[in-house]
Amino acid sequence: KFIEAEIELDAKNLKKAHSICDKIEASIKKEITNVDRATIHYEPLIKKTITCAIPVKDKGKIVSEHFGKAPQIFLFKVNKDNRKIIEKEIIDNPYISLDRQKGIKLAEHLSNKKLDTLILKENLNGKGSGYMLQNQGIEIMQTERDSLEEVISDFNFINVT
């Protein structure tokens, strides 16, 4: 017997997507008797929105110089078609009081929120949080701007209040 399926995956990494398909194929062969071959084809999930984050301070008005030490994170969703911000919130950094690994913990936290893009001042190259974010397929974009409104404008997001 032969089983073939097509699935959509929200996997930004090609190796990870192949690994997921391999695991599904192995599970099918294990769980369903008399299956000689299972083939899973995948297509990337086409998202209509992107989730972005910017480390901020001063009640969300100023972009923080540091990722892990930022008091808050401006978290928002953007419609990919018209670049309008459709959801937004400022969340407190739950790891700011840690002595070590603030950035890694915050990176994990944001990854769990299905983050697509992080916009920040700090260069995370060579840092644990940078490796973790890149491994999760999260795009890291740099800015030199101080004001949150300037960053939103620079990236052509339309802030609908």
Side-chain angles (χ1 to χ4, degrees):
K1 290 182 181 174
F2 176 71
I3 293 178
E4 185 173 16
E6 189 168 306
I7 61 173
E8 282 187 342
L9 287 177
D10 186 15
K12 299 170 189 164
N13 179 309
L14 191 59
K15 270 186 167 178
K16 189 174 184 176
H18 280 293
S19 175
I20 291 168
C21 289
D22 290 343
K23 287 177 183 176
I24 293 170
E25 290 168 359
S27 292
I28 289 171
K29 289 178 190 175
K30 181 180 176 186
E31 299 293 326
I32 302 173
T33 57
N34 300 326
V35 172
D36 297 320
R37 198 169 78 180
T39 303
I40 304 296
H41 302 281
Y42 75 92
E43 294 292 327
L45 179 67
I46 298 172
K47 296 173 72 172
K48 296 183 190 288
T49 63
I50 54 172
T51 302
C52 304
I54 304 172
V56 292
K57 60 184 181 180
D58 295 335
K59 298 180 182 163
K61 295 178 183 167
I62 304 296
V63 178
S64 176
E65 297 83 13
H66 302 286
F67 175 60
K69 296 177 185 175
Q72 297 103 17
I73 303 295
F74 179 62
L75 192 62
F76 59 107
K77 276 191 182 177
V78 177
N79 179 308
K80 283 175 74 173
D81 293 331
N82 61 19
R83 308 284 291 170
K84 285 186 180 175
I85 296 174
I86 54 174
E87 290 178 28
K88 59 184 173 179
E89 66 178 319
I90 294 177
I91 60 172
D92 289 329
N93 178 354
Y95 307 104
I96 195 164
S97 62
L98 293 179
D99 290 332
R100 298 177 55 225
Q101 296 191 333
K102 294 176 182 113
I104 291 173
K105 295 285 187 188
L106 184 56
E108 289 172 350
H109 183 70
L110 292 174
S111 176
N112 289 336
K113 292 188 174 288
K114 305 292 184 195
L115 188 67
D116 296 300
T117 303
L118 176 65
I119 303 168
L120 73 169
K121 284 185 165 188
E122 184 179 5
N123 184 342
L124 297 181
N125 288 339
K127 296 185 178 184
S129 55
Y131 291 125
M132 191 268 162
L133 291 162
Q134 289 173 340
N135 189 42
Q136 293 296 317
I138 296 170
E139 182 179 19
I140 300 172
M141 302 178 88
Q142 301 290 141
T143 185
E144 294 181 8
R145 297 291 195 164
D146 292 321
S147 127
L148 180 61
E149 287 303 317
E150 289 174 327
V151 173
I152 288 171
S153 176
D154 283 353
F155 286 90
N156 296 316
F157 298 132
I158 301 166
N159 194 2
V160 180
T161 52

